Amino acid sequence: MANATQATTKPLVFAYYVTGHGLGHATRVVEVVRHLILAGHTVHVVTGAPHFVFTTEIQSPGLFIREELLDCGAVQSDALTVDRLASLQKYSETAVVSRASILTKEVKWLKSIKADLVVSDVVPVVCRAAVDAGIRAVCVTNFSWDFIYAEYVMAAGYHNRSIVWQIAEDYSHCEFVIRLPGFCPMPAFRDVIDVPLVVRRLHKSREEVRKELGIGDNVKLLLFNFGGQPAGWKLQEDYLPAGWICLVCGLSSEELPPNFRKLPKDVYTPDLMAASDCMLGKIGYGAVSEALVYKLPFVFVRRDHFNEEPFLRNMLEFHQGGVEMIRRDLLSGNWGPYIEHAISLRPNYNGEINGGEVVARILQDTALGKSHASNKLSGSRRLQDAIILGYQLQSVSSRDIYVPDWYSHAQNELGFHTEMTADGKITQVPSPKVQIEEFQILHGDHHGLPDTLNFLKRLAELAASGNADNNNKHTREFMAAAAMFNWEEEIFVARAPGRLDVVGGIADYSGSLVLQMPIKEGCHVAVQRNHPRKQKLWKHTQARQHAKGQGPTPVVEIVSFGSELSNRGPTFDMDLVDFMDGEQPISYEKAYQYFARDPSQKWAAYVAGAILVLMTELGVQFEDSMSILVMSAVPEGKGVSSSAAVEVSTMFAIAAAYGLNIPPRDIALLCQKVENHIVGAPCGVMDQMASACGEANKLLAMVCQPAEVLGLVEIPPHIKFWGFDSGIRHSVGGGDYGSVRVGAFMGKKMIKTEASELLKQMSNLVSPQCVEGINSVEMKKEGKERLEKEASIDYLCNLSPHRYEALYVYKLPESILGEEFIKQYANHEDKVTVINKKRNYSVRASTRHPIYENFRVKAFKALLTAEPSDDQLSALGELMYQCHYSYEACGLGSDGTNKLVELVQELQHGKTAKSGAGTLCGAKITGGGSGGTVCVIGRNCLESSQQIFEIQQKYRASTSYLPYVIEGSSPGAGKFGYLKLCYRYPSKSI
């Protein structure tokens, strides 16, 4: 800053706001503020952090600290657990309810201190306050809260979206964002300036710190750093390898073993990092950046539901600085293998570390009037009504915000996409020419499927990597997969596709007829069984078994390729004895709790859950160890059943490896148990049935009572279906889907109760004429027998629309509080969902949807076999539109999916349609709704493909997101069968 200081003699006033989330933001702000004050400026820091964070480093009359909390960040129940609902609630209490008073107060204060520039890291509301005060505003950060909170909205319910919208709108008033390394996508900002790492300087050398601590150079030091929130953890002496001492930051009054030392809360962490040999903690910007700069190996444990992590983790691992420890081993004290691995690393970050100085110079120049803004549209204008769409982590051409190459590469590596040629036409990416000579196929057929050939290629790469010298270029998941297979033994491979919900959707749990199409994208699972003595074990697994002193016992090791896309751990392992309670399998409830305790590994429930279900339902005994590799090209969170594809392919592969002959329908029902009881998602069986029993280019017709396949419906050659990914992440476990299901079951219980009451009234009357709501003609027509059936109805869809309208519609409330329903009806007779007493449930719309949807699907199925005509297509499209707006009435819509449906309607009814060129005729939201995919129906012709492309471009222009197009079909898992493979070792030249 020296040169910049000489360039101006005007002292400036900065208002620097710091988010209330942890100390990491405050510690990096310290370094920027220090440089601003060295340049002769005054800085007012608005923060909830302790004063010592700033005063330890800065002693100057130019520093003013004002204690004020204007946001709350992510609320954590402990050091590793983010409470998503509490985070949104706390933010609402802190910054939404009192928003008007905050703006009034901050505008007045900013004017009173005569601020020249407002700087935010990264408090949203102050960006708006700055504009209202007539002062320029800049953000300095590696993430923004709209991005973090977007996921929380899925858990809390769609009605909370306004919080995220408001945050993004506030950020859009910033002139630009000064972006730190390890950044997340931040679509609300219109301009970006990238800077080096901002890190705190050292005060003391390694030798000085160790001398003060009384620790010699021959002693290994582990720095235990979890941000001051690990209260309640019981640390034990045997957690550390021999010869190590652990320095514990932020622990409260717990007694520590002799090889652990408690540090004061105001300890200066950078000096400790320089004096330590390894650090164990959670990922955050401060910990990662300073560990990289001071070349300290970092053993990290994932924090769930904090989407900053994947980007920082990638930066850490790219520079050979990090080792991931699973939460179970952290809490059980199995630290040794991770520490041993970490100290073998050679962190290699050699980038610039003067970010504090660079940021201060940019802030000074901005305050003096320099403009960094471009002529791009403002953030709020660019995002328009689809702010949430910007959070989808996908690199798209012409996007303003850069997403790291590693992310887009991982996302697209397995998929075969529809792409646009230079002349604007849509074409399929040609299948790669994959050689499979590395494997002998002992059973089955790859069916020429490009993704299957690609999977076999990846298996061959895994097998060959054992002889290569350049393993360091591979990802952790690749190396873990290569290490767990015994390549001399047979491997069994199964494949299951995702599905496009054409019609039926969420009515499956109410017993509706559904029509589902298996899509082109599929999930592959490779399973190998080995005797426990021959199983290749990862180091931490070996250490765990050694600690138990049991010798080799059956284990399951799982690797998930592409795990970073959803911030989940890439590997999972467990002893199969953990699934036993004495001589019997553990309950599903215990299994749910087992997987839920570590959210970063909860994904493993979809895979390992198949083992427990086979043990429980079929009595299968697993005495061998198992290696499982999962590799899926089914887009996650798009509403195309990525979870069902994983479950079904896993179940088929395990069945093949153990010689179990299970029909596809039974496989699907077993997989539903995995998702309902072990994963805890309240889905029907439709997804699993489509993935297991479907066939390419046909619609699976099924009555979900519980899973009666009526047959396969040929898609007429003149009709085609597409899927548009809206970019809004769908979750079948999301709050809206579950509450609609609860509402439907409430409605069914009310209808049964009302039918029983009508029967009582009828039995007490000589003549039916006086029964309330029923005329004599109706009663005579339907009779007692009909009411008896309705009083014991199993599925809502067995009630016809006309009966619903005649007898029950006005007996149902629009909505009811959970507590009130339980008081009147005791329970809702659904084993999958639980009623929240404090929640208000929509009953009438949730009940009406499956009753009418079942009728619409029957009509749709009949129309598909009619003579081809414009009327046929028009009627099919109208049924899909009706379904879409019925979803909307249930509260399962979203702005993105509505926009896509509107674009289809514009093309259908616009000028091109009137001229005879319109070929698309209907669209609807799919699956569980609340985002995800829109299914479109149209003519199978070139014009339709051109209109699909046109919708892509219009949607991108409106939302800055280019939707992924789902097109094509592939066989279900039953039709695919399984592959039995034997690896052929390459011959060695003599």
Side-chain angles (χ1 to χ4, degrees):
M1 289 288 290
N3 293 336
T5 305
Q6 295 171 3
T8 177
T9 58
K10 179 185 176 182
L12 302 168
V13 177
F14 294 88
Y16 212 133
Y17 291 84
V18 187
T19 185
H21 180 75
L23 297 182
H25 296 264
T27 56
R28 72 189 184 199
V29 167
V30 166
E31 188 64 14
V32 179
V33 170
R34 186 175 70 85
H35 282 283
L36 288 172
I37 289 177
L38 285 175
H41 305 306
T42 297
V43 183
H44 294 259
V45 176
V46 184
T47 180
H51 284 209
F52 73 79
V53 175
F54 299 90
T55 56
T56 301
E57 182 71 6
I58 305 170
Q59 296 86 35
S60 169
L63 173 65
F64 297 86
I65 300 176
R66 172 184 156 212
E67 290 190 26
E68 191 81 41
L69 194 63
L70 298 178
D71 72 354
C72 63
V75 176
Q76 296 181 222
S77 54
D78 59 43
L80 298 174
T81 305
V82 174
D83 189 327
R84 293 173 290 178
L85 303 186
S87 297
L88 291 176
Q89 182 178 355
K90 183 69 173 177
Y91 185 84
S92 180
E93 294 170 357
T94 305
V96 177
V97 174
S98 55
R99 176 178 173 81
S101 61
I102 289 174
L103 288 172
T104 300
K105 180 179 179 181
E106 295 310 306
V107 168
K108 182 178 179 180
W109 179 75
L110 288 171
K111 291 180 177 179
S112 71
I113 66 170
K114 299 180 180 179
D116 294 293
L117 185 69
V118 172
V119 188
S120 177
D121 185 354
V122 63
V123 183
V125 69
V126 299
C127 303
R128 177 56 185 265
V131 172
D132 291 349
I135 304 170
R136 302 168 75 185
V138 173
C139 281
V140 183
T141 186
N142 64 303
F143 74 85
S144 55
W145 285 113
D146 50 347
F147 175 74
I148 302 299
Y149 285 163
E151 181 202 352
Y152 302 176
V153 170
M154 289 305 305
Y158 191 58
H159 57 282
N160 289 280
R161 63 181 178 170
S162 59
I163 293 176
V164 182
W165 286 39
Q166 185 62 68
I167 292 173
E169 202 277 332
D170 283 342
Y171 284 145
S172 74
H173 293 291
C174 259
E175 290 201 13
F176 57 91
V177 59
I178 298 175
R179 191 168 59 181
L180 304 175
F183 56 84
C184 304
M186 294 181 278
F189 298 104
R190 57 182 135 162
D191 282 292
V192 172
I193 298 177
D194 287 305
V195 296
L197 285 175
V198 176
V199 294
R200 292 174 290 177
R201 58 180 178 166
L202 294 180
H203 289 170
K204 300 172 185 177
S205 68
R206 174 185 175 92
E207 292 73 21
E208 289 173 325
V209 174
R210 282 179 169 255
K211 184 177 180 181
E212 289 183 1
L213 294 171
I215 297 174
D217 288 338
N218 61 328
V219 176
K220 294 290 186 182
L221 276 183
L222 175 71
L223 184 61
F224 186 86
N225 185 12
F226 280 90
Q229 293 183 341
W233 293 357
K234 300 298 181 183
L235 303 174
Q236 299 181 24
E237 186 174 355
D238 61 357
Y239 285 9
L240 294 178
W244 282 75
I245 289 178
C246 182
L247 304 177
V248 182
C249 297
L251 198 64
S252 53
S253 58
E254 284 86 353
E255 292 186 8
L256 294 176
N259 52 349
F260 287 77
R261 294 192 186 181
K262 180 181 175 182
L263 297 170
K265 288 187 176 181
D266 60 351
V267 68
Y268 192 63
T269 310
D271 289 349
L272 292 173
M273 287 187 174
S276 299
D277 299 285
C278 184
M279 180 166 67
L280 172 59
K282 64 181 180 182
I283 282 182
Y285 177 84
V288 170
S289 60
E290 291 173 349
L292 286 175
V293 168
Y294 300 122
K295 306 260 188 306
L296 180 66
F298 188 177
V299 177
F300 62 87
V301 183
R302 293 188 189 223
R303 195 170 21 159
D304 59 295
H305 308 308
F306 198 73
N307 293 335
E308 174 193 20
E309 274 201 11
F311 301 88
L312 291 173
R313 186 167 64 245
N314 174 69
M315 181 171 68
L316 181 68
E317 294 178 344
F318 180 81
H319 294 291
Q320 302 293 306
V323 173
E324 180 176 356
M325 176 187 287
I326 62 176
R327 190 176 305 189
R328 181 180 62 205
D329 285 340
L330 170 73
L331 300 178
S332 65
N334 185 26
W335 295 6
Y338 300 97
I339 295 173
E340 178 185 346
H341 184 189
I343 61 176
S344 71
L345 299 177
R346 295 293 179 265
N348 59 13
Y349 183 81
N350 294 310
E352 295 181 348
I353 59 173
N354 63 334
E357 180 182 354
V358 173
V359 172
R361 184 180 299 121
I362 294 170
L363 295 178
Q364 176 182 270
D365 291 345
T366 304
L368 288 171
K370 182 175 180 180
S371 176
H372 294 277
S374 71
N375 293 322
K376 298 175 185 176
L377 294 174
S378 69
S380 57
R381 178 79 180 281
R382 279 193 302 111
L383 299 173
Q384 294 182 11
D385 66 338
I387 291 173
I388 293 179
L389 303 182
Y391 310 138
Q392 184 61 40
L393 308 185
Q394 179 171 333
S395 180
V396 178
S397 58
S398 82
R399 275 284 292 274
D400 297 323
I401 300 299
Y402 168 74
V403 176
D405 289 338
W406 67 270
Y407 192 95
S408 54
H409 173 72
Q411 184 182 44
N412 295 316
E413 181 178 35
L414 308 180
F416 297 86
H417 296 244
T418 300
E419 291 188 353
M420 179 185 64
T421 60
D423 59 359
K425 295 181 179 179
I426 290 183
T427 183
Q428 295 291 329
V429 176
S431 302
K433 294 180 180 179
V434 180
Q435 302 298 322
I436 57 170
E437 284 83 1
E438 295 89 347
F439 285 102
Q440 179 183 2
I441 299 179
L442 304 176
H443 173 87
D445 182 6
H446 56 67
H447 299 277
L449 294 170
D451 59 345
T452 300
L453 296 174
N454 191 47
F455 182 72
L456 295 177
K457 179 182 178 182
R458 293 305 298 271
L459 279 180
E461 291 173 354
L462 290 172
S465 67
N467 302 320
D469 297 326
N470 58 346
N471 278 348
N472 60 343
K473 74 175 184 178
H474 294 304
T475 61
R476 284 189 298 122
E477 59 193 33
F478 185 97
M479 296 175 67
M484 74 174 176
F485 282 115
N486 185 341
W487 298 105
E488 289 85 7
E489 301 297 329
E490 295 169 346
I491 295 175
F492 295 82
V493 175
R495 177 193 183 277
R499 65 96 187 96
L500 183 63
D501 167 34
V502 177
V503 276
I506 58 166
D508 61 342
Y509 54 68
S510 293
S512 178
L513 173 66
V514 297
L515 295 177
Q516 307 294 303
M517 184 182 80
I519 61 175
K520 176 179 60 179
E521 293 80 0
C523 173
H524 289 81
V525 171
V527 170
Q528 183 181 76
R529 55 184 291 193
N530 286 301
H531 188 277
R533 293 188 180 278
K534 296 178 67 177
Q535 177 74 12
K536 293 185 175 181
L537 300 178
W538 298 319
K539 287 185 178 179
H540 66 270
T541 312
Q542 290 176 343
R544 185 178 68 243
Q545 291 208 345
H546 179 75
K548 292 182 178 180
Q550 299 173 340
T553 58
V555 301
V556 57
E557 295 179 313
I558 307 171
V559 175
S560 171
F561 273 10
S563 58
E564 298 294 353
L565 302 181
S566 297
N567 192 22
R568 60 175 182 263
T571 64
F572 174 85
D573 67 282
M574 64 179 291
D575 298 328
L576 283 176
V577 71
D578 291 345
F579 273 156
M580 298 300 294
D581 185 2
E583 298 296 320
Q584 299 297 322
I586 63 173
S587 67
Y588 288 149
E589 176 61 27
K590 287 184 178 179
Y592 171 80
Q593 295 171 357
Y594 179 91
F595 290 105
R597 65 187 180 181
D598 185 351
S600 72
Q601 293 199 311
K602 189 176 179 180
W603 62 267
Y606 292 99
V607 183
I611 299 172
L612 179 62
V613 167
L614 287 170
M615 293 167 62
T616 303
E617 305 298 329
L618 301 184
V620 180
Q621 295 183 0
F622 294 96
E623 298 178 352
D624 288 336
S625 292
M626 203 180 310
S627 299
I628 303 176
L629 173 64
V630 181
M631 187 167 124
S632 181
V634 182
E636 292 185 37
K638 314 296 188 189
V640 289
S641 300
S642 58
S643 60
V646 172
E647 293 156 356
V648 171
S649 54
T650 299
M651 193 73 77
F652 264 98
I654 293 175
Y658 284 82
L660 306 175
N661 185 19
I662 308 174
R665 176 185 180 275
D666 293 345
I667 288 274
L669 291 170
L670 292 170
C671 290
Q672 186 194 20
K673 292 184 180 295
V674 174
E675 185 140 3
N676 284 172
H677 303 300
I678 301 178
V679 176
C683 69
V685 74
M686 172 184 81
D687 299 350
Q688 290 80 6
M689 286 292 292
S691 186
C693 304
E695 292 189 18
N697 301 308
K698 296 178 182 179
L699 300 181
L700 179 72
M702 179 183 68
V703 176
C704 303
Q705 299 189 16
E708 179 187 348
V709 175
L710 298 186
L712 295 161
V713 180
E714 294 280 353
I715 300 175
H718 67 289
I719 291 176
K720 187 170 183 178
F721 298 99
W722 296 264
F724 271 114
D725 158 36
S726 67
I728 299 177
R729 188 172 179 84
H730 154 84
S731 172
V732 93
D736 294 307
Y737 175 91
S739 65
V740 172
R741 175 170 177 146
V742 170
F745 276 83
M746 285 178 167
K748 187 184 76 169
K749 184 66 175 282
M750 292 176 179
I751 287 171
K752 291 171 67 175
T753 303
E754 177 65 19
S756 298
E757 183 61 31
L758 290 173
L759 279 171
K760 289 180 182 178
Q761 292 182 38
M762 181 178 178
S763 63
N764 293 331
L765 293 174
V766 178
S767 169
Q769 294 180 3
C770 299
V771 178
E772 182 183 353
I774 308 177
N775 59 45
S776 58
V777 175
E778 179 68 21
M779 181 61 74
K780 290 175 182 177
K781 182 178 179 182
E782 303 298 345
K784 180 180 177 181
E785 185 178 321
R786 197 71 179 269
L787 280 175
E788 288 175 343
K789 288 182 179 179
E790 290 162 359
S792 60
I793 194 168
D794 290 331
Y795 296 95
L796 267 179
C797 291
N798 290 337
L799 182 65
S800 64
H802 81 271
R803 286 288 291 180
Y804 170 73
E805 293 290 345
L807 300 183
Y808 303 112
V809 63
Y810 295 113
K811 298 296 183 180
L812 302 182
E814 290 287 348
S815 62
I816 191 171
L817 191 67
E819 187 174 30
E820 183 64 25
F821 177 87
I822 293 173
K823 182 179 179 180
Q824 292 186 43
Y825 300 95
N827 64 75
H828 66 321
E829 300 177 348
D830 182 17
K831 297 178 181 179
V832 176
T833 56
V834 176
I835 296 174
N836 183 340
K837 292 183 179 180
K838 302 301 181 183
R839 182 154 192 170
N840 204 44
Y841 292 94
S842 170
V843 174
R844 190 178 295 177
S846 300
T847 304
R848 185 182 193 276
H849 175 80
I851 294 171
Y852 277 84
E853 183 71 356
N854 186 49
F855 174 79
R856 285 190 289 264
V857 180
K858 289 179 178 179
F860 196 96
K861 181 174 178 288
L863 279 167
L864 284 174
T865 60
E867 283 293 317
S869 67
D870 291 343
D871 289 340
Q872 177 202 34
L873 280 168
S874 177
L876 289 168
E878 176 60 28
L879 290 170
M880 293 180 75
Y881 286 140
Q882 289 181 18
C883 172
H884 176 80
Y885 291 111
S886 184
Y887 263 78
E888 185 78 11
C890 292
L892 293 176
S894 75
D895 291 326
T897 49
N898 286 346
K899 182 67 177 178
L900 285 166
V901 172
E902 289 169 8
L903 289 172
V904 172
Q905 291 173 345
E906 287 177 10
L907 288 176
Q908 180 184 0
H909 303 298
K911 293 181 179 179
T912 55
K914 293 176 182 178
S915 65
T919 60
L920 303 181
C921 53
K924 62 176 280 287
I925 194 170
T926 65
S930 297
T933 294
V934 165
C935 178
V936 177
I937 186 173
R939 294 185 185 277
N940 185 13
C941 61
L942 179 61
E943 289 79 4
S944 292
S945 295
Q946 292 170 340
Q947 289 188 349
I948 292 293
F949 171 68
E950 186 176 345
I951 290 173
Q952 275 187 303
Q953 302 310 307
K954 287 183 176 181
Y955 192 73
R956 177 172 65 176
S958 175
T959 66
S960 298
Y961 178 81
L962 183 69
Y964 178 93
V965 175
I966 295 163
E967 185 175 6
S969 184
S970 66
K975 196 71 174 177
F976 180 88
Y978 69 90
L979 301 178
K980 182 178 178 182
L981 306 176
C982 180
Y983 181 66
R984 294 168 172 163
Y985 278 89
S987 58
K988 296 182 179 179
S989 57
I990 302 176

